[in-house]
């Protein structure tokens, strides 16, 4: 079964063409390096608008994305509404992902406590909010990704296989 991954960049300026989206591109590059399963990517850049984020998250999940990664919109400024939009579309929240990302980011910057990344499940899709900077994306994805494929297994999504020399994931040993 092909793995379907949604990448949703939330940026007023990138969506209007003021600058190129580097964050969404970084996510795809990182995942393409780690994942050896056949993947299909669904990629969009949209403005930081609550209703638009909600609709795009629903669309990606309802279109069969096993994993949806957002980038941007997780800070404290008024226009940052990604966690709220994620919570709106999910049936279950998975706060451990955000907790681990913040704990890891604190090793690099003291302002990591201002980040509000979270994760949740909508039907058979796992949604994870990532920060907006490519360097921070990699720093946050590395500690949480080992749990992502097993989480997707548990909710009935596609099996994600990785190059273990680059990213070793955790799955319980079968008896």
């Amino acid at each position: 079964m092909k793995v379907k991954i949604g990448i949703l960049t939330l940026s007023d300026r990138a969506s209007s063409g003021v600058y190129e989206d580097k964050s969404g591109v970084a996510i795809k590059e990182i995942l393409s390096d780690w994942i050896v399963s056949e993947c299909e990517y669904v990629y969009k850049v949209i403005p930081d608008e609550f209703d638009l984020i909600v609709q795009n998250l629903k669309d990606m999940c309802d279109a069969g994305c096993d994993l949806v990664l957002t980038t941007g919109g997780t800070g404290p400024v008024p226009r940052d509404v990604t966690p709220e939009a994620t919570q709106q579309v999910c049936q279950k929240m998975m706060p451990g992902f955000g907790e681990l990302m913040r704990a890891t980011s604190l090793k690099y910057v003291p302002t990591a406590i201002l980040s509000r990344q979270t994760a949740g499940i909508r039907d058979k899709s796992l949604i994870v909010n990532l920060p907006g900077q490519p360097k921070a994306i990699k720093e946050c994805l590395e500690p949480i990704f080992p749990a992502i494929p097993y989480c997707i297994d548990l909710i009935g999504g596609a099996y994600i296989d990785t190059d273990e020399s680059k990213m070793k994931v955790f799955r319980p040993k079968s008896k």
Side-chain angles (χ1 to χ4, degrees):
M1 186 196 285
K2 187 187 293 190
V3 179
K4 193 168 184 180
I5 299 172
I7 299 172
L8 186 60
T9 298
L10 309 159
S11 168
D12 292 330
R13 291 177 288 174
S15 66
S16 66
V18 172
Y19 59 74
E20 161 190 3
D21 171 42
K22 293 184 178 167
S23 301
V25 172
I27 292 170
K28 185 176 179 190
E29 287 173 356
I30 292 164
L31 294 182
S32 296
D33 188 44
W34 294 346
I35 298 173
V36 295
S37 302
E38 184 180 357
C39 290
E40 174 187 344
Y41 291 92
V42 178
Y43 168 71
K44 287 189 83 174
V45 181
I46 63 170
D48 286 302
E49 297 288 343
F50 181 83
D51 292 337
L52 198 53
I53 298 167
V54 165
Q55 190 57 56
N56 277 273
L57 288 173
K58 285 180 179 179
D59 290 348
M60 286 182 169
C61 294
D62 297 351
C65 286
D66 302 289
L67 175 62
V68 176
L69 298 170
T70 68
T71 176
T74 59
V77 302
R79 290 203 44 84
D80 289 342
V81 294
T82 304
E84 290 79 10
T86 300
Q87 198 165 10
Q88 176 82 22
V89 304
C90 290
Q91 290 102 7
K92 291 183 181 178
M93 296 307 296
M94 305 293 289
F97 286 96
E99 292 163 5
L100 182 54
M101 286 187 275
R102 279 184 290 283
T104 300
S105 294
L106 276 171
K107 296 173 186 171
Y108 302 101
V109 293
T111 55
I113 60 172
L114 301 177
S115 181
R116 301 178 313 112
Q117 290 109 287
T118 192
I121 295 168
R122 177 180 175 84
D123 300 324
K124 293 184 177 185
S125 303
L126 173 64
I127 301 171
V128 179
N129 302 152
L130 295 170
Q133 297 300 318
K135 180 178 180 288
I137 288 168
K138 185 159 194 206
E139 291 167 357
C140 286
L141 260 178
E142 283 178 332
I144 66 166
F145 196 83
I148 287 176
Y150 183 53
C151 181
I152 292 170
D153 293 348
L154 292 172
I155 61 174
Y159 189 88
I160 298 176
D161 201 9
T162 60
D163 177 343
E164 291 203 4
S165 71
K166 296 177 181 179
M167 174 52 66
K168 185 167 176 53
V169 300
F170 175 81
R171 285 188 171 96
K173 303 225 184 310
S174 54
K175 296 178 183 179

